[in-house]
Amino acid sequence: MLSVRNLAVGFQTRRGFVSAVRKLDLSLDKGEILGIVGESGSGKSVSSYALLRVLDAGGSITAGEIHYSGMDLRAISEKDMRDIRGREISMIFQNPRAALNPIRTVGSQIEDVLRRHAQASSQNAREKAIEALQAVKINDAEKRYHAYPFELSGGMCQRVVIAIALACNPQLLIADEPTTGLDITTQKAVMDLVRDLIRERGMSSILITHDLGLAAQYCDRIMVMKDGEIVEQGEPTSLFSQPSHRYTRKLVDATPREGDSIRALLPPEARTPEPARSLSTDILLDVQDLTKTYQGKSGPVQAVKGISLQIAKGQSVGLVGESGSGKSTTAEMLVRLLDPSSGSIVFNGQDIAGIAADDFARHPLRSDIQMVFQDATDSLNPRHTARQTLAEPLKRLGRLRKRELGSRIEELADLVGLPNHLLNRFPHQLSGGQKARVGIARAIALEPSLLILDEPTAALDVSIQAVVLNLLVDLRARLGMSYLFVSHDLHVVRLLCDHVVVMKGGEIVESADADSLMSNPQHPYTRELLSAAPSPPERRISARV
Amino acid sequence: MNQSTPPTALDESVLSEAQSASNDTGFGAHLLYVLRANPVTLLAFVLFLLIVACALFGHALAPYDPLATSAGDALQPPSAQHWFGTDSVGRDVFSRVLVATRLDLSISIAAVALSFVIGSILGGIAGFWGGWLDSVLNRILDTIMAFPLFVLAMGIVAALGNTIENIIYATAIINIPFYARLVRAEVNIRRDAGFVRAARLAGNSKLRVLVIHIFPNALPPMMVQVSLNMGWAILNAAGLSFIGLGVRPPTPEWGIMVAEGANFIVSGEWWLAVFPGLWLMIAVFTFNLLGDGLRDMVDPRKRT
């Protein structure tokens, strides 16, 4: 149905011509779901944009053929191409909120597509739009027809985007990271829906994702891309059990799965023994009945409803929950950036809940509680070099002199594996993994006894996530820190934490030892979280350590 | 298949190191790039340097004394001796235009600097702390903007007195709202950014966070505003002098020269108004062109 031969795509940039995709061969049969897996910069999205001829400015197809149902997509006119987009081939984008027009109702946006491709007249457009909404299982479609995107949740918005993509019954659906940014339970619901609709309508599909586990679960065939080239392809099970290319093996290893140790995420050559660490029973942090109430427009909103937890010295506790569970609010209160409404936070025997967040900046305990932020890009000042960023806490709280400062910064960079010459770069000149390292180095600069990690790997590629998680394990053993690891992903939390706390709707629903929580979850919500995570197929036994 | 990647745990950083090895360019190289990539910016910078040179060395370069009258040479058309002709009392128009550059530029730089500083402080406070402070400041700025700005400037100069300082104050006051609003918006969107929270974890007080961490990030759009405003301030100062508020004759100033020259256009002595007007236009035009180039220069993200 679709065949791509020898496709090459490049971009004209300030540094000259950059090749993004090289020698891409791809064929897709009717009814097949093909997964394209790769990390950021692998060219996976660019290839799909090239298929639809919607490349960004400066991008062009430099070689190759694209044939779709007998048509040469490179040769046909832009007018014909417009007819094909949406009616024959359509696309689901990464960020559903950005893909929808914020000032128009979702109903009118669906009608647009229908009318554009003459699938509906002005009489029955509304009816057909509602049908399209019903097809993606939106409850109360009649009412949602009048909703604006901001009134809908992220998962709901993605359903609307899918409804728009499928409104004209296309034959081929390209889904570009359709569930990035969605909660894990929503991800499952959306992916199940997409799969069912594709099967029902006999469509073909290309699923582009960075998540090998997700691709394995939903695709018939997987292609692995790296640096603009396909390095390997095959069926999910065989790809997982016998990855032949080194890069695929690395990806397979880096995908967290049940039962493996944290070192198993790394390539076999890099698996050093896990460092020993001493757990003590002394309580470092004791939180009692912590609440946070915001004044909303329609009365007070309770974001955190009285939670209690303890962290022992050297212990790592995972705080797991989906968006809106109050886990980030809790983390902000514990790191004392936010004042709790009530409750106590006893740190090393001293209640710090009563100290205003503004005053805590100069409190002697400030250097003892530090945080690694979720989005490494957002957490670095765009106008400061890595060196300036690392110097900040050392100068303000560490009171280091100039000479000591330089050597301490280099020491920190070594500790997190950041090459010294990168210290003079600005954040935009660093890769995602390097930015994460700078963020971690800054947080550990003052050797805190408690480090709060707010989804530190959420924005990273899996292979970099594997490296960063292992770095955190090493640092913990070396500096004897306690961790509070905030995440939405139980499989990642399990790797790093001794104890796991599950939050939902501002309350703790389950709190247990990490192993027992994973093997024997008590609360239905914990079970739901565990089952929603994509489960990659088994690897060959020899890959285990 | 490609098997060339070294399989170390750190290869991610090694790889991008190789890719971005040529990234370490300094400010000088960046400046050259901006100028080369954009010929309009280059033109603007050449003109800008020319204007600055006139302001600095105008007095020395002027072929005649700008104040010296010579009844015999009155109302001469442009010639080899008097490039821009002479005025009704025989003063050399070219010398006067050249010498006036320093005064006009000083007025506009002082006015823009003043409104930049005051606007940044007000906008920073309003954007960072929000609440009632924000509301009160916004309403005051709205009030200023509700007046026709030139009329407001006229009123201020008329009330305070006809001096160069008062022209500067008046021009500054009518420009403050633009800076304050811009800074407020830029600060407001970064108030809860990750790097701001990280700065507080590093022990910075709120004021320090605002001044050291947030404010510099507002500079790129501010530069566009500064440069547009410079042109506008020159125009404003000249406008005030044109209607007789501000610089007094016989001091050479573009606005007065245009005003004086306007009387002679009817009788055919066009050079008296046209040359100062043209000079004024080029100055304003230069600053308007300069904006985008300046923004590209102060933004480290453009330095890739």
Side-chain angles (χ1 to χ4, degrees), chain A residues 370-373 376 379-380 390 412 415-416 433-445 448 451 453 456-457 460 467-469 471-472 475 481 483:
Chain A
Q370 288 290 320
M371 184 162 178
V372 177
F373 293 90
S379 75
L380 300 179
L390 294 183
L412 280 169
L415 208 56
V416 297
Q434 290 162 350
K435 280 185 269 198
R437 285 170 208 264
V438 176
I440 292 170
R442 171 176 60 191
I444 62 168
L451 190 60
L453 302 138
T457 60
L460 300 178
V467 177
V468 169
L469 288 176
L471 170 68
L472 288 170
L475 288 174
M481 291 181 284
Y483 283 170

Side-chain angles (χ1 to χ4, degrees), chain A residues 131-199:
Chain A
E131 266 172 42
L133 285 174
Q134 279 161 346
V136 293
K137 303 208 172 77
I138 288 184
N139 296 331
D140 225 350
E142 297 257 355
K143 225 168 110 189
R144 296 286 180 234
Y145 174 88
H146 297 290
Y148 288 93
F150 75 89
E151 295 173 306
L152 304 174
S153 68
M156 206 69 110
C157 280
Q158 192 56 289
R159 279 166 203 259
V160 173
V161 172
I162 296 169
I164 292 174
L166 298 183
C168 299
N169 288 313
Q171 292 304 301
L172 172 60
L173 179 72
I174 300 175
D176 185 7
E177 305 259 12
T179 57
T180 308
L182 298 183
D183 279 329
I184 205 152
T185 50
T186 319
Q187 161 170 306
K188 185 175 161 57
V190 167
M191 284 312 299
D192 286 352
L193 172 76
V194 170
R195 184 186 51 193
D196 294 348
L197 287 171
I198 289 170
R199 296 272 183 256

Side-chain angles (χ1 to χ4, degrees), chain B residues 84-107:
Chain B
F84 290 179
T86 58
D87 66 5
S88 56
V89 285
R91 292 173 299 198
D92 180 49
V93 176
F94 178 66
S95 302
R96 286 176 64 77
V97 164
L98 209 58
V99 166
T101 312
R102 185 183 290 181
L103 179 63
D104 278 278
L105 210 60
S106 311
I107 292 176

Side-chain angles (χ1 to χ4, degrees), chain A residues 14-15 231 245-246 250 269 332 358 361-362 370 378 381-383 392 396 419 425 428-429 431 434 467, chain B residues 1-2 5 7 9 11-12 20 24 33 194-195 197 201-202 204-206 213 216-217 298 300 302 304:
Chain A
R14 181 163 161 175
R15 283 179 194 292
V231 295
H245 192 274
R246 190 189 280 145
K250 189 174 130 189
E269 311 85 79
E332 295 240 313
D358 288 355
R362 275 175 301 249
Q370 288 290 320
D378 178 57
N381 190 334
R383 294 185 72 90
E392 185 74 8
R396 304 296 308 157
R425 296 233 179 128
H428 72 274
Q429 295 168 324
S431 72
Q434 290 162 350
V467 177
Chain B
M1 281 188 187
N2 182 354
T5 321
D11 69 0
E12 161 263 320
S20 49
D24 299 315
Y33 171 77
F195 72 85
R197 291 186 290 162
L201 289 189
N204 290 289
S205 64
K206 281 199 161 181
H213 288 269
N217 280 291
V298 294
K302 302 269 174 182
T304 347

Side-chain angles (χ1 to χ4, degrees), chain A residues 286-316:
Chain A
D286 186 2
V287 179
Q288 292 296 335
D289 298 319
L290 197 67
T291 68
K292 179 69 195 176
T293 310
Y294 288 106
Q295 285 306 323
K297 269 189 185 146
S298 48
V301 181
Q302 220 174 5
V304 176
K305 301 170 184 164
I307 63 160
S308 305
L309 58 89
Q310 279 91 34
I311 303 177
K313 283 194 175 116
Q315 192 191 25
S316 291

Side-chain angles (χ1 to χ4, degrees), chain A residues 113-129:
Chain A
V113 188
L114 288 167
R115 304 254 282 270
R116 166 71 185 83
H117 293 291
Q119 300 280 315
S121 59
S122 49
Q123 284 85 42
N124 64 3
R126 184 190 147 88
E127 201 179 304
K128 288 213 167 180

Side-chain angles (χ1 to χ4, degrees), chain B residues 226-241:
Chain B
V226 162
S227 135
L228 288 177
N229 242 268
M230 281 291 292
W232 206 68
I234 293 177
L235 216 52
N236 197 66
L240 284 173
S241 305

